[in-house]
Each structure stands twice: as structure tokens, then as C-alpha cells.
Amino acid sequence: MSTKQDYTLIGAGIMSATLGVLLKQLMPDAKIAIYERLDKVAAESSDAWNNAGTGHSAFCELNYTPEDENGNINISKALKISNQFEVSKQFWTYLVQNELVATTVPFINDIDHMSFVFGDANTTFLKQRHQALTQYPMFMDMEYSEDFAEISSWVPLMMRGRTKDQKIAATRMPIGTDVNFGAITRSMINYLKSCDGVEIHLGHQVEDIDKKNDGSWEVSLTDLHTDTEKTIESGFVFIGAGGGALKLLEKSGIPEGEGYGGFPVSGQFLKCTNEDVILQHEAKVYGKADEGAPPMSVPHLDTRMLNGKRSLLFGPYAGFSTKFLKNGSYLDLPLSLDAHNIFPMLSAGIHNISLTKYLIEQVMQSPEERFEALAKYYPEARFEDWELITAGQRVQIIKKDEEKGGVLKFGTEIISSKDNTLAALLGASPGASTAVSIMLDVLKTCFSEQMASAAWQKKLTQMIPSYEKSLITDGDLCQKIRAKTTAVLKLEDDSM
């Protein structure tokens, strides 16, 4: 006999946790079940060691402000992502203020976000980027400098051993953050566990998803602890399984999911093992990615706060694996191919030869070559102070394209069934940082009638004061909300 649920969420990461909390706040009587293949919550892409934790707000990520061949800088993506991260901070502020989440150590910490570039062309780009962004309230406190002494005061570790005749430039945003997405995810799941009508099932693998004649969904599972099969019926299904979402989307059989493929990219970092060095750097410093590199490969020297302990990482170094999840199977990529996506996959491969070349070069790098990349950002680094660690696995979207056959897409995308009873999230960065905005989009798509109701509008505004407003143009609202989130989340903001 099948178990019946109102809402089934697949994957116990930041996305399902966020959607679950939103649903429970909007519909306290909702029956929700979350199913996770692993025995731990947030153990894949949301885990602190698998996620950069930058709190992507477009302050330092240069790939969010691309430059065209004529030297024009497009800041639209940066504005959107920055606004979305402010939405996330408001939601977390609501959770903390109402004691719905609790962590033994802070899940979010203040940390300068900086961009750092070399050479005349890159310096010109960074200066123009700074001028374009600071016209907007969210970026008005961004500092720009080409002065050796000033940059040395911001990041002394990076400047020691560097000659003053080297052309460099940097920007700095004191309001940047470091986020442990694993910690906030586990806190949200713990809150959901305490709610009536919510079930969390770890060690459960989804085998199939089928549409029933009555419009509901039949989800077939295996309890990996007992090796027994289960079947549940659900009115709504959300597939938030990170890299595993593509295969489950294919199993659902919805035509909207046809033509999608996935290209897996793994990441590695150099982790500092010298405590004295770790304490000398306090910033997230992003450089410019090499030509042909995927966005997730932007080099950065990164201060992290992981479970209360300070760490220092440099990377990432891109790698390739046919796994779609860090704990996945090497058959993930070949088994994802079918008649609907094989042509888009091949076409995307043909049109991204430079990416393939870049990945091959990265995989073939020696330890000494990886260290050379670090030395550009930290000239006095010692080889023996760093060890290589493997971070998370990401799956970039490949989708059908009328002109090119198939294109590689960076970012995230929501795919929903025609009747809006099933939604799946594909893609990667900035992902976790913008999870609240992404899940609000799921609600707008799949619960449009309820979202328009006065009751839901009132509750959403309580959780997210800027809901349906833009912080991009409203400077007063931006400053007011930042003051509140800074105070509640205990973030220090030097600009206030």
C-alpha cells in the first residue's frame, strides 16, 4: 500500500530545505516528505567543503560582469545576483529572529570580498567595472585602488614579495560574507523535523517517478538500510538532488525535460596547513579566470570559517569525472544519454572545444604547476604548507538550441511540468547563495494562485521585507534592510 504525501522533496540539500521551510511557513498543515540517498543531510553540493561558501553577491566574482569584444561591461547579472543574495539574507534573518534555526557556531560570517587583477588591460577592466557598479546602491561602498600600500593594508599576505613596478588593481567590499551552507541546511532540516506533518527519510534512493491517471505522482524508492522497496503517492514533487536531478528528471518522463543533458566538472583546492599563514589573510580574493575556463574555475585565495575554525584555500583546479555527484557512479554520464539529448550533448561539445582543452590541461597538471598558480596570488607561499583536497562535483546544463543544436549553460534553471505538479532544478553556481530566490520562483511557477493570495503575500513580506521590491534601485530600502540583516546575523559592516 502506498503512502500519501502532499509534497515530496527529493534531496536533503539547501534547495529542498529552503523550499520545505517556505512551504511549512505558508501552509502550516502541509504534509511534506524529504528523501535523501545519503545518510547525512547536506553532504553533497551544500556541504561546506564541497561549496565555496562565498555568499555570492557579485562583489568579487568577475565572471558575473563579462566584457564584450568592444570593451563594454555587462553588469546585469551582477545586479541580479546581488539582489538575490540580499533576499537570502533576509530569509535567514527571519529564521534566526524567530528562533526557527540554531547552530553551535555562526553559519554566516563577515569577510571582505575583493577582486585582484594584474596588467594594464585587466586594470582598465576592473576600474570600469567599479565605475559601472558603484552607480547602484548595492555597490556604492565598493572601494577601488591601484595603490601598492593601500592594497597591502587590505591583503598583506598577498603583497609581500611582490615588486612595486607590477601593475595591479583591486576592489574591496567590507560587507562580504562567508557562508557555511551545510550548517544552515542542517538547521533548517532540524526545524522541519520538529514540525507536525514533516518526515525526513535518509538512506532512501529514488528509483522511478511516474505520473498516475489521477494527476498525482508515484515515486518508487529503495530503503538502503533494509534493502526494501517503497512506493509513495504525492500531489507535488520537487527534484532538488543536485547533480542527480537530471537522471530523475528523465525518469519522470515529462516532455519539458527532453533535450537536457549534463556536463560534470569536479573541483580541487590547495588547503593551507600552516596556522600562522592562515591567520595572516582575512578576505575572499577573486581573480580573473583563464580563457576557456568554466565560471566555477575563477581562481581565489579564500578565507573560510568552517564549523568555527578558520581555513585558507586556493583554487579551484578543475577536473573531470563522469560522476554527477561526489558520491555518485562513474556511469552517471553515460547513463544520462538518450535519444532526446545525445545530439545537444555532441553539439555542445563541438562548440566548447576550448573548455575541453582547458579541462585536459587542468587534469594533467603537476603539483608544481598547481603551486605556480598559487604563487601568482601569494608570492611567498611555501610548497610544503599546502595540500590538495577534492571539493564538490558540479553538473553544468546542456540544452537544445535551434541554431547550434546544443549549448552549455552556466547557472541554474527550473524545469516544471505543464500542470506544474513537478519541478526540477538543474545547474550549479551561484546556486546555494540564491536558493531563496530560486525556490520563490518554484512557488511562483507551481503555486501561482496561492502566491497571488493576500495571505501568502502578507507572510512572504514578513519573511522577506523586500519581496516584490527591488534593492537594485531603492537605495534607502537597501540600506535599511542591510542594517537589519547585519544586526540580526551579527555581521560587522564597516560601511555603516
Side-chain angles (χ1 to χ4, degrees):
M1 184 176 179
S2 297
T3 301
K4 292 188 176 182
Q5 297 287 351
D6 297 331
Y7 310 101
T8 297
L9 315 181
I10 303 173
I14 185 73
M15 297 299 175
S16 291
T18 301
L19 181 58
V21 174
L22 285 169
L23 287 171
K24 204 60 183 172
Q25 287 293 300
L26 294 165
M27 297 182 290
D29 296 330
K31 293 176 64 178
I32 301 171
I34 298 179
Y35 292 93
E36 166 60 47
R37 183 173 63 94
L38 300 178
D39 287 329
K40 185 180 178 183
V41 169
E44 275 284 351
S45 297
S46 302
D47 182 75
W49 286 106
N50 296 336
N51 192 299
T54 300
H56 288 285
S57 39
F59 296 152
C60 56
E61 306 92 336
L62 301 181
N63 54 301
Y64 294 157
T65 51
E67 183 179 19
D68 65 21
E69 56 188 17
N70 296 317
N72 300 310
I73 299 173
N74 187 338
I75 64 172
S76 59
K77 187 174 183 179
L79 294 173
K80 179 181 178 181
I81 290 173
S82 187
N83 188 73
Q84 288 177 326
F85 187 63
E86 294 294 336
V87 169
S88 291
K89 285 201 296 181
Q90 290 173 69
F91 181 63
W92 299 336
T93 295
Y94 169 83
L95 298 181
V96 171
Q97 203 165 29
N98 290 276
E99 299 181 345
L100 302 181
V101 299
T103 57
T104 54
V105 294
F107 67 86
I108 184 169
N109 292 277
D110 66 291
I111 184 77
D112 288 0
H113 280 200
M114 294 181 56
S115 301
F116 187 92
V117 298
F118 313 90
D120 291 329
N122 288 335
T123 296
T124 299
F125 161 76
L126 190 64
K127 188 172 186 177
Q128 291 176 343
R129 176 183 185 269
H130 173 260
Q131 292 171 345
L133 288 174
T134 50
Q135 296 177 47
Y136 292 86
M138 292 187 298
F139 294 88
M140 64 185 296
D141 297 319
M142 180 182 283
E143 303 170 65
Y144 173 85
S145 182
E146 297 176 25
D147 183 77
F148 190 96
E150 185 171 30
I151 298 174
S152 294
S153 71
W154 295 345
V155 279
L157 187 79
M158 293 178 61
M159 299 300 286
R160 287 199 293 271
R162 200 179 296 278
T163 58
K164 291 187 177 181
D165 60 349
Q166 184 180 27
K167 186 70 172 179
I168 58 171
T171 56
R172 173 178 177 259
M173 276 291 279
I175 198 175
T177 55
D178 174 68
V179 185
N180 185 327
F181 288 105
I184 183 60
T185 299
R186 286 186 285 275
S187 295
M188 286 192 286
I189 293 291
N190 285 336
Y191 159 70
L192 288 170
K193 283 181 182 178
S194 72
C195 297
D196 292 335
V198 178
E199 299 176 1
I200 312 294
H201 300 276
L202 303 181
H204 280 67
Q205 180 166 300
V206 176
E207 305 291 354
D208 207 356
I209 307 172
D210 293 304
K211 187 79 167 180
K212 298 185 67 179
N213 292 333
D214 64 2
S216 65
W217 292 93
E218 183 177 85
V219 182
S220 302
L221 307 114
T222 299
D223 184 334
L224 300 177
H225 299 132
T226 61
D227 198 29
T228 56
E229 296 179 356
K230 298 181 179 180
T231 302
I232 63 167
E233 294 178 24
S234 185
F236 173 80
V237 174
F238 171 66
I239 305 173
L246 176 62
K247 292 191 293 181
L248 296 176
L249 176 63
E250 291 173 345
K251 289 181 178 183
S252 75
I254 63 170
E256 293 80 5
E258 294 181 358
Y260 280 91
F263 184 80
V265 179
S266 60
Q268 295 178 312
F269 283 86
L270 287 176
K271 175 189 173 186
C272 185
T273 58
N274 187 324
E275 292 293 331
D276 291 336
V277 172
I278 293 170
L279 294 175
Q280 293 176 53
H281 183 80
E282 190 175 348
K284 291 179 178 292
V285 184
Y286 276 58
K288 225 179 175 190
D290 293 333
E291 187 173 345
M296 66 174 288
S297 295
V298 175
H300 48 284
L301 188 62
D302 192 350
T303 295
R304 298 292 315 275
M305 289 298 295
L306 299 170
N307 302 317
K309 183 176 172 58
R310 190 155 147 179
S311 300
L312 182 61
L313 305 176
F314 178 80
Y317 301 93
F320 177 76
S321 168
T322 54
K323 291 182 178 182
F324 278 3
L325 293 162
K326 190 173 181 179
N327 294 285
S329 165
Y330 288 108
L331 296 176
D332 286 344
L333 177 58
L335 290 178
S336 73
L337 301 175
D338 61 25
H340 298 293
N341 65 16
I342 185 67
F343 180 66
M345 294 275 283
L346 291 173
S347 297
I350 292 171
H351 289 103
N352 287 276
I353 296 297
S354 60
L355 173 60
T356 304
K357 179 176 179 289
Y358 171 81
L359 289 175
I360 292 172
E361 290 173 349
Q362 287 277 293
V363 171
M364 299 298 291
Q365 274 190 325
S366 67
E368 290 74 19
E369 288 171 324
R370 293 192 191 97
F371 184 75
E372 284 179 16
L374 166 63
K376 292 179 183 178
Y377 289 83
Y378 173 22
E380 293 187 349
R382 299 190 308 169
F383 186 87
E384 60 269 24
D385 287 343
W386 300 80
E387 64 180 12
L388 188 68
I389 62 169
T390 299
Q393 191 80 358
R394 299 288 185 269
V395 178
Q396 307 292 353
I397 304 167
I398 292 175
K399 62 186 295 187
K400 286 190 295 187
D401 182 82
E402 291 185 4
E403 293 184 5
K404 297 182 179 180
V407 292
L408 185 65
K409 303 280 287 185
F410 297 106
T412 53
E413 190 162 333
I414 300 165
I415 297 94
S416 58
S417 61
K418 185 178 181 181
D419 62 1
N420 295 322
T421 59
L422 181 142
L425 181 72
L426 302 181
S429 183
S433 294
T434 58
V436 179
S437 292
I438 294 170
M439 292 304 100
L440 288 174
D441 287 341
V442 170
L443 293 176
K444 288 175 183 177
T445 299
C446 300
F447 302 84
S448 58
E449 189 174 328
Q450 296 98 314
M451 286 289 278
S453 69
W456 278 37
Q457 290 281 314
K458 181 179 179 181
K459 187 64 180 180
L460 286 164
T461 304
Q462 289 176 1
M463 293 188 286
I464 304 158
S466 73
Y467 181 70
E468 298 288 63
K469 299 174 184 176
S470 174
L471 300 181
I472 296 172
T473 55
D474 193 333
D476 290 339
L477 182 62
C478 180
Q479 293 302 314
K480 179 181 177 181
I481 284 175
R482 277 185 174 169
K484 181 178 180 179
T485 57
T486 294
V488 174
L489 298 175
K490 295 182 171 55
L491 305 173
E492 296 177 5
D493 181 7
D494 297 339
S495 68
M496 294 184 180

